[in-house]
Amino acid sequence: MSNLVSVPKNGSLANNNSNQNFPTLSNWIDDIFNRDLPSVFTSNFNTGMTLPKVNIKETADAFIVEMAVPGLKKSDFNIDIDNQLLSISTETKDEHEAKDAHYTRREFGYSSFKRTFTLPESVDDDKINASYNEGILNILLPKKEEAKQKPARSIKIS
């Protein structure tokens, strides 16, 4: 008789079970799927570093790629072009030799990323250049002469 359910006057079922400290299976599953994923699943797994944000803008003469990558040196970057694919990557390791072997905690530092973009046919890949200043990697992708926007002009009628 302990499994009897009392029905209140409003008609809803009330559970008088005393196991309120234990979540039901459906509550446990809802809790897992209704919360945000931990940041370890939204970043590069062993780095804590997410993919850098990129701005790409087009001018009359070129495309400009701006990538926010603070804390690196220009020697950390690898920029390659292969069959109209522009690849930007980096891999850094933070290795410190510890003279004292009695440390309680030591964390290794490693970070890497690779971003790849398909270049338009209009880019003159022989004239691409890059610079790195104050945490921003800038890559200038000049357009071929025939692809550059020509200024507007008036045509006289003869």
Side-chain angles (χ1 to χ4, degrees):
M1 292 286 178
S2 64
N3 290 335
L4 292 179
V5 176
S6 62
V7 179
K9 292 182 182 179
N10 65 6
S12 67
L13 292 177
N15 185 358
N16 288 336
N17 192 351
S18 63
N19 293 331
Q20 292 179 358
N21 292 339
F22 298 104
T24 64
L25 180 62
S26 64
N27 288 345
W28 182 73
I29 291 173
D30 286 345
D31 185 45
I32 288 174
F33 288 106
N34 288 331
R35 67 178 140 185
D36 291 332
L37 290 174
S39 63
V40 71
F41 293 118
T42 57
S43 65
N44 288 342
F45 283 100
N46 59 351
T47 67
M49 179 181 195
T50 58
L51 285 176
K53 304 295 184 205
V54 175
N55 293 333
I56 301 175
K57 57 186 170 184
E58 182 178 7
T59 66
D61 299 329
F63 294 94
I64 300 166
V65 177
E66 301 170 325
M67 182 178 288
V69 280
L72 298 175
K73 302 177 297 237
K74 65 181 181 180
S75 60
D76 292 334
F77 294 101
N78 296 313
I79 303 173
D80 300 306
I81 298 174
D82 184 24
N83 289 332
Q84 296 301 106
L85 283 177
L86 174 69
S87 297
I88 305 162
S89 63
T90 185
E91 180 177 343
T92 59
K93 296 176 185 174
D94 186 20
E95 298 174 350
H96 295 286
E97 182 180 334
K99 300 287 183 192
D100 182 11
H102 301 289
Y103 50 83
T104 303
R105 179 177 173 171
R106 181 176 174 194
E107 294 183 353
F108 298 97
Y110 175 82
S111 63
S112 69
F113 72 83
K114 183 173 185 177
R115 299 281 315 251
T116 304
F117 304 94
T118 302
L119 296 177
E121 292 287 329
S122 60
V123 170
D124 187 352
D125 60 1
D126 291 330
K127 296 181 180 177
I128 295 174
N129 64 52
S131 63
Y132 181 67
N133 188 23
E134 295 185 13
I136 304 293
L137 177 66
N138 287 294
I139 303 173
L140 180 67
L141 307 167
K143 293 180 181 178
K144 296 175 182 173
E145 281 302 317
E146 60 270 14
K148 290 183 182 177
Q149 228 175 3
K150 305 221 182 330
R153 63 184 178 98
S154 295
I155 299 174
K156 293 186 180 186
I157 300 172
S158 55

